[in-house]
């Protein structure tokens, strides 16, 4: 199953837009500023930072190529989040969005994000899922959810990433830590399940499950809590 990742990232950015606006309104200095998007992917969050001096960094050339096509004004750099190719203390705001889930050593990764922040700069973890706390209903959907979690664990994902964000920020010595959960609502009349189905099928194929029942049958629901956190250097 091929997943249209660019569309998927844009969809996720849509779900978390209100939370980002809320968090950016809480930053205790005036924006726009010098901002770094770590693991920027295909640039789904770039439209939020039209007025900022934004740099996007990602390890994946393919994602960066898509980002470049969509926004030639942004400064895009290929690089590894564990070894950011930037000077210490060079950004006012450093953020990531759905990235820590895929990172095996989140503390090292976050320490590096903090390193490139100016003293007093703001670290924003806009959205990280907590698959361990997922709610799937009815029973058949629960079974599909368990299979997806098994696949994610096989892919190296820590299913409890979301709930650990504030603790991570404490461990790396940040101050003024705030955390919470992204709100959710579902418009069942207009919602398209296509992209979610693509992701689910792709995850299940990774553990050899080829044929799943529709996960969007009447009355079914999947909710994966998504946490955010912010703090200062
Ligand atoms: C799920 S995507 C999210 C992309 C984007 N932040 C968004 O929300 O649309 C995760 C991104 O993190 C990037 N990534 C994973 N490990 C990385 C690393 N060590 N350094 C830099 N980028 C990394 C991946 O290449 C991918 O583009």
């Amino acid at each position: 199953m091929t997943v249209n990742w660019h569309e998927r990232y844009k969809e996720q950015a849509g779900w978390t837009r209100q939370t980002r606006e809320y968090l950016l309104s809480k930053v205790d200095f005036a924006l726009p500023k010098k901002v770094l998007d770590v693991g920027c992917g295909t640039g789904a969050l770039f439209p939020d930072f039209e007025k900022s001096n934004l740099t996007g960094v990602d390890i994946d050339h393919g994602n960066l190529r898509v980002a470049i096509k969509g926004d030639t004004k942004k400064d895009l750099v290929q690089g590894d989040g564990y070894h950011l190719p930037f000077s210490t203390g060079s950004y006012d705001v450093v953020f990531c969005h759905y990235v820590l889930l895929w990172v095996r050593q989140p503390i090292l990764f976050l320490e590096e994000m903090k390193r490139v922040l100016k003293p007093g700069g703001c670290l924003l973890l806009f959205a990280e899922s907590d698959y361990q706390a997922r709610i799937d209903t009815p029973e058949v959907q629960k079974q599909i959810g368990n299979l997806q979690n098994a696949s994610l664990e096989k892919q190296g994902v820590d299913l409890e990433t979301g709930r650990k964000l504030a603790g991570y920020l404490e461990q790396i010595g940040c101050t003024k830590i705030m955390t919470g959960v992204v709100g959710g609502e579902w418009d069942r009349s207009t919602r398209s399940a296509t992209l979610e189905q693509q992701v689910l099928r792709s995850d299940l194929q990774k553990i050899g499950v080829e044929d799943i029942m529709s996960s969007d049958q009447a009355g079914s629901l999947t909710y994966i809590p998504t946490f955010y956190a912010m703090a200062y250097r």
Side-chain angles (χ1 to χ4, degrees):
M1 169 64 61
T2 43
V3 180
N4 185 335
W5 287 112
H6 183 43
E7 287 305 316
R8 171 67 173 174
Y9 296 158
K10 281 201 295 189
E11 182 183 66
Q12 286 182 314
W15 293 337
T16 61
R17 176 162 297 117
Q18 277 190 336
T19 300
R20 293 198 305 281
E21 285 168 4
Y22 167 70
L23 291 172
L24 289 169
S25 78
K26 289 263 170 200
V27 174
D28 66 8
F29 49 81
L31 295 168
K33 290 276 190 183
K34 221 180 147 206
V35 178
L36 179 65
D37 179 352
V38 180
C40 66
T42 59
L45 265 56
F46 292 176
D48 285 20
F49 296 92
E50 281 302 319
K51 292 182 185 146
S52 296
N53 176 1
L54 181 112
T55 301
V57 60
D58 202 286
I59 202 162
D60 186 287
H61 280 106
N63 280 347
L64 285 173
R65 265 197 299 276
V66 178
I68 287 164
K69 270 193 209 148
D71 194 332
T72 47
K73 290 180 300 220
K74 297 285 179 281
D75 185 15
L76 296 173
V77 178
Q78 196 270 332
D80 183 354
Y82 289 108
H83 308 282
L84 290 169
F86 310 112
S87 314
T88 298
S90 47
Y91 288 91
D92 299 287
V93 174
V94 177
F95 73 80
C96 65
H97 181 252
Y98 289 113
V99 175
L100 292 177
L101 205 64
W102 303 103
V103 159
R104 303 282 171 107
Q105 293 174 286
I107 292 291
L108 291 182
F109 199 87
L110 285 166
E111 276 174 343
E112 183 63 353
M113 287 174 73
K114 185 178 168 225
R115 178 187 69 77
V116 299
L117 261 185
K118 291 178 187 171
C122 184
L123 191 54
L124 285 161
L125 314 178
F126 280 132
E128 300 295 339
S129 313
D130 194 302
Y131 281 93
Q132 196 64 62
R134 68 187 295 159
I135 297 171
D136 300 280
T137 192
E139 187 54 35
V140 63
Q141 190 78 11
K142 235 180 244 176
Q143 287 165 16
I144 293 170
N146 289 341
L147 286 171
Q148 186 179 33
N149 279 7
S151 168
L152 289 168
E153 277 195 301
K154 198 177 159 204
Q155 294 172 59
V157 167
D158 176 355
L159 301 178
E160 295 185 348
T161 299
R163 73 189 68 180
K164 293 180 177 170
L165 298 185
Y168 289 156
L169 293 177
E170 237 169 70
Q171 277 188 62
I172 65 168
C174 284
T175 61
K176 294 190 274 179
I177 301 165
M178 186 180 90
T179 191
V181 181
V182 177
E185 60 188 26
W186 295 264
D187 181 344
R188 293 190 73 99
S189 59
T190 57
R191 179 174 156 263
S192 152
T194 318
L195 283 164
E196 259 178 272
Q197 284 283 335
Q198 284 177 8
V199 174
L200 184 62
R201 282 175 193 276
S202 148
D203 281 337
L204 297 195
Q205 277 172 358
K206 291 191 175 93
I207 52 168
V209 179
E210 292 291 339
D211 203 18
I212 54 162
M213 293 176 67
S214 164
S215 66
D216 201 37
Q217 56 197 300
S220 74
L221 180 135
T222 286
Y223 168 61
I224 297 158
T226 301
F227 284 71
Y228 60 79
M230 78 185 283
Y232 293 84
R233 177 177 171 187

